[in-house]
Amino acid sequence: MRFNNEYIAGVTWGFSGMRGSWKTEEAEQSMELMSSVTGAKWTAIALSALQATPHSTEIPYWEEPTVSDEEVKWAIDKAKSLQLKVCLKPIVNCADGTWRAHINFFDKDVPCEPKWSDWFSSYTTFILHYAAIAEETGCEMFCIGCELVQTDRREAEWRTLIAEVRKVYSGILTYNCDKYQEDNVTWWDALDVISSSGYYPDSDWEAQLDRIERVVKSQNKPFFFMEAGCPSRSGSAAIPNDWTLQGEPDQEEQSKFYRAMFQSCENRDWVQGFMLWDWPTHLYSIQEAAQNDDYCMYGKQAAGIINEYFTLKSKSNKRSD
């Protein structure tokens, strides 16, 4: 399958679902609302597995709280019943709360210390498991990693992993690098699509797009934002990646971010879409939307902005086919 010029009007669903939370009536209604409210044509189905610490070398994805394979297949089937194209996105996190970007080991093996080789062996098993599910269920895209900043320098291991994934998965492959890291990944050529996390301050989009454009043009690869979004919280438009920022619920703050992002990206024809962050399995009620200050857009002003933009882009995409 080739990516070509398709526009990714997408929203991320399901993160971070716990085992038993996906194959439910509530989860079904959540995905249905995501599709209708945002106008999405794609979804990134995001699941998480936990390693104990950033220096652990085992990723026990088969254990709780990771959602079961049955739940993953159910979610993909549900998305396809809504005519959504799917990117399956398995994510590794740390059970001790450390952000996955800090997963790291010595560059040279040291006796009695955890090693990159051990971690990549476990990570490869983890990724190949879900790549096989993506192939079996006909997912249009598969994401091999998310915001693993300290691993990005391990070019040889990533290239080996990608080659192994291609043996079991025939669709589009991407890697979700972190914000500001697009020009640090040296192995984009091995993938089909470049993608990154677009949590840039609302006042800084033009400068960041200028920087990212140089990477995209040099690689001659398609590009989209695998994540992008902003909490509906005062102050968040200036620092959208900080989910701990203190502030009051503020829908206009979220709307301001989306207007700035869409306006800047509209002038860059190489930006081929978004998998916006995010839409949870367990939705708050519509009556609680005004007081919800998280990333989800349900019942908020930003939902209308997103729907209008995605509808416009989807129509333009059809005309260009």
Side-chain angles (χ1 to χ4, degrees):
M1 179 180 295
R2 299 186 64 185
F3 188 74
N4 294 326
N5 295 317
E6 179 165 1
Y7 190 83
I8 304 292
V11 179
T12 301
W13 182 88
F15 186 85
S16 55
M18 307 292 235
R19 184 165 298 186
S21 68
W22 276 22
K23 192 179 178 183
T24 65
E25 184 177 340
E26 184 178 42
E28 187 170 22
Q29 291 173 348
S30 166
M31 196 184 295
E32 289 171 355
L33 283 167
M34 180 191 75
S35 176
S36 62
V37 168
T38 66
K41 304 299 181 186
W42 279 77
T43 185
I45 293 178
L47 62 105
S48 179
L50 299 178
Q51 60 182 66
T53 75
H55 310 305
S56 301
T57 57
E58 183 181 27
I59 305 167
Y61 62 87
W62 53 89
E63 297 179 352
E64 294 186 6
T66 305
V67 291
S68 67
D69 289 355
E70 181 184 10
E71 290 175 286
V72 174
K73 293 175 183 178
W74 172 88
I76 294 167
D77 184 64
K78 178 61 183 178
K80 289 189 168 296
S81 76
L82 296 170
Q83 282 72 57
L84 295 171
K85 292 187 177 181
V86 176
C87 173
L88 185 59
K89 184 181 181 183
I91 300 170
V92 62
N93 280 316
C94 300
D96 68 357
T98 305
W99 182 35
R100 59 187 169 274
H102 298 293
I103 293 172
N104 200 12
F105 307 94
F106 296 150
D107 281 343
K108 294 182 179 179
D109 287 354
V110 176
C112 301
E113 295 291 347
K115 300 173 178 61
W116 276 117
S117 58
D118 294 333
W119 184 83
F120 265 102
S121 176
S122 183
Y123 187 77
T124 298
T125 301
F126 164 60
I127 290 297
L128 288 177
H129 177 79
Y130 291 103
I133 290 177
E135 179 71 14
E136 175 190 339
T137 56
C139 291
E140 286 81 3
M141 187 182 296
F142 184 71
C143 185
I144 64 168
C146 177
E147 300 174 345
L148 293 163
V149 177
Q150 298 294 344
T151 77
D152 290 352
R153 69 184 188 274
R154 306 296 295 188
E155 179 178 354
E157 288 94 332
W158 278 110
R159 289 185 180 277
T160 298
L161 170 63
I162 292 165
E164 291 302 308
V165 172
R166 291 199 186 279
K167 293 177 183 178
V168 300
Y169 177 71
S170 59
I172 300 162
L173 288 184
T174 191
Y175 169 73
N176 177 184
C177 77
D178 194 30
K179 58 201 173 294
Y180 303 100
Q181 306 302 316
E182 295 90 351
D183 41 7
N184 287 338
V185 176
T186 58
W187 34 274
W188 286 127
D189 61 287
L191 294 163
D192 303 310
V193 183
I194 299 171
S195 68
S196 72
S197 291
Y199 299 108
Y200 295 115
D202 61 325
S203 62
D204 198 34
W205 271 97
E206 294 297 337
Q208 296 306 321
L209 288 170
D210 284 345
R211 179 183 58 81
I212 298 168
E213 183 169 7
R214 290 191 287 272
V215 178
V216 174
K217 300 297 186 184
S218 69
Q219 293 292 327
N220 192 29
K221 296 277 185 179
F223 172 89
F224 75 102
F225 287 104
M226 177 60 85
E227 292 185 19
C230 178
S232 51
R233 188 182 310 156
S234 59
S236 286
I239 187 167
N241 59 296
D242 186 357
W243 61 89
T244 66
L245 185 70
Q246 297 299 304
E248 297 299 316
D250 188 343
Q251 292 188 43
E252 179 54 36
E253 187 81 4
Q254 187 181 50
S255 296
K256 182 171 72 166
F257 171 86
Y258 273 104
R259 290 190 194 101
M261 179 175 71
F262 287 156
Q263 183 177 355
S264 293
C265 291
E266 181 63 20
N267 299 320
R268 315 279 181 144
D269 59 5
W270 51 270
V271 177
Q272 289 185 229
F274 305 86
M275 293 283 195
L276 300 175
W277 192 267
D278 73 325
W279 197 278
T281 319
H282 179 78
L283 275 179
Y284 47 83
S285 71
I286 194 73
Q287 292 80 15
E288 297 172 313
Q291 293 305 310
N292 180 277
D293 66 351
D294 210 342
Y295 287 88
C296 184
M297 325 83 174
Y298 177 55
K300 303 175 187 177
Q301 296 173 9
I305 295 170
I306 293 164
N307 189 300
E308 182 179 0
Y309 190 72
F310 276 179
T311 299
L312 176 67
K313 299 302 289 186
S314 296
K315 287 180 179 177
S316 297
N317 192 64
K318 284 183 179 179
R319 286 196 296 268
S320 63
D321 286 347

